[in-house]
Amino acid sequence: MAAAMKIARTAHSDQPWRIHEFTGDFRTEDVWSFHTPGAGPDDFPVILAATRTAGGSAKEPRIVRFLFAVRSKLGALLGWDKPKTSLGKRVQPLHDRLPGDLRETVDGSDTSDAPFTPVYLLHNESVRELANKTCHAVMHLGWVPTGAGEYELRMAILVKPNGLFGRVYMALIAPFRYLIVYPAITRQWERAWRNRGLQPTR
């Protein structure tokens, strides 16, 4: 069973990602690595396709589905996810900051990754964002060479909390992210890489 690998924030900040050009007002909340043995420089689209095929809430462990269900119920009850708190309403979408060459890399109307909205996609970066009453969050996936001559997937979560409320919320959910959610994602995505040749890709 794979263990989630939380790594230093500098593992994200030291990379020459385009994302750094647009997120100076965000903080790096978490950086995680996912093992993809045998991966090469051109396999970023392969791992993205594999995670999409193997992903989805229906395939997550029961405890993860339960946590997201509780969060959804609380959000509905307390108004955290109302349209007025979302991208383009409470916050300016990160997508609006991009130059034209990056905006054209994704379909902004694509809802397949809901609740995340695509921002841009390059040969070694995939960026998505979401916003609600608690924070404006960006998920950055990057393709990074390792010392062994292979490549691995890294995920960075960048956030802009919505005031004191948002900072308290992020602190309260941190144990659930570290102990349950990220380990589950690690197992799911690393299994997707191992089984990539056995799954149809979209």
Side-chain angles (χ1 to χ4, degrees):
M1 181 178 294
M5 289 292 294
K6 187 176 187 297
I7 57 179
R9 292 181 175 90
T10 54
H12 173 75
S13 61
D14 288 350
Q15 292 292 327
W17 306 123
R18 294 291 303 274
I19 191 65
H20 302 317
E21 302 171 26
F22 318 108
T23 53
D25 52 342
F26 285 73
R27 78 182 190 206
T28 303
E29 185 76 13
D30 302 306
V31 184
W32 299 79
S33 68
F34 303 87
H35 300 303
T36 51
D42 300 323
D43 284 330
F44 189 47
V46 178
I47 184 60
L48 292 182
T51 57
R52 284 195 300 269
T53 301
S57 59
K59 298 182 180 181
E60 291 170 347
R62 183 175 301 175
I63 183 61
V64 175
R65 297 199 303 271
F66 171 76
L67 288 176
F68 279 108
V70 170
R71 167 59 182 81
S72 179
K73 292 291 186 182
L74 285 175
L77 180 64
L78 301 176
W80 293 349
D81 304 314
K82 289 183 177 180
K84 66 180 181 181
T85 70
S86 64
L87 295 169
K89 301 295 184 179
R90 186 181 70 79
V91 301
Q92 177 195 30
L94 186 66
H95 187 269
D96 288 355
R97 305 182 185 185
L98 304 183
D101 65 315
L102 291 182
R103 289 192 189 192
E104 296 172 358
T105 63
V106 297
D107 177 3
S109 64
D110 181 7
T111 60
S112 59
D113 288 323
F116 283 91
T117 298
V119 179
Y120 69 84
L121 175 64
L122 299 175
H123 73 284
N124 63 346
E125 291 182 73
S126 173
V127 181
R128 302 167 224 173
E129 64 178 330
L130 66 78
N132 51 43
K133 190 174 182 179
T134 66
C135 69
H136 183 184
V138 173
M139 181 171 68
H140 179 275
L141 299 179
W143 199 231
V144 184
T146 68
E150 298 180 346
Y151 278 68
E152 71 177 13
L153 182 68
R154 290 183 187 170
M155 176 177 70
I157 303 299
L158 315 175
V159 299
K160 190 190 300 184
N162 186 15
L164 177 62
F165 168 68
R167 292 192 294 273
V168 171
Y169 173 84
M170 294 301 298
L172 288 175
I173 68 171
F176 299 100
R177 296 200 318 270
Y178 297 155
L179 298 176
I180 299 174
V181 176
Y182 287 137
I185 291 175
T186 298
R187 290 190 293 271
Q188 190 176 44
W189 287 5
E190 292 187 353
R191 187 184 309 116
W193 172 255
R194 293 194 303 270
N195 298 337
R196 63 194 181 281
L198 305 177
Q199 304 174 54
T201 57
R202 291 185 291 180

